[in-house]
Amino acid sequence: MAKGKTPSLIGSSLGRPSKKTCGRETPCSRCHVGITKGEECYDVPQPKKPHSATRRFCVDCFAGVLEQTKSDLEKLEASI
């Protein structure tokens, strides 16, 4: 299980996420569990980092990221 604060997609340093099929085994950026080759995952670009850096999330962790983003948007809407 992932530790720490769940990230949100609201931020100036993040790009548009995309759904990918993993080409080689790689760890999830949040829970650090290996995403196996051929498994679906989500890449979130980080434009402020060099060389087209992305954060790769497994499906479960990305669902948590989406929930956190929805929560952040609801808080912003409530403050208007």
Side-chain angles (χ1 to χ4, degrees), residues 13-34:
S13 64
L14 301 174
R16 177 176 287 165
S18 60
K19 188 176 186 177
K20 301 282 183 184
T21 300
C22 195
R24 61 181 171 88
E25 185 168 338
T26 184
C28 172
S29 294
R30 178 148 171 72
C31 67
H32 307 290
V33 172

Side-chain angles (χ1 to χ4, degrees), residues 2-7 30:
K3 295 181 181 178
K5 185 179 179 216
T6 301
R30 178 148 171 72

Side-chain angles (χ1 to χ4, degrees), residues 30-56:
R30 178 148 171 72
C31 67
H32 307 290
V33 172
I35 303 169
T36 58
K37 181 178 179 179
E39 188 176 350
E40 290 185 347
C41 60
Y42 292 87
D43 283 349
V44 179
Q46 295 184 298
K48 291 189 176 184
K49 296 208 175 178
H51 309 293
S52 304
T54 63
R55 290 184 72 189
R56 183 164 280 182

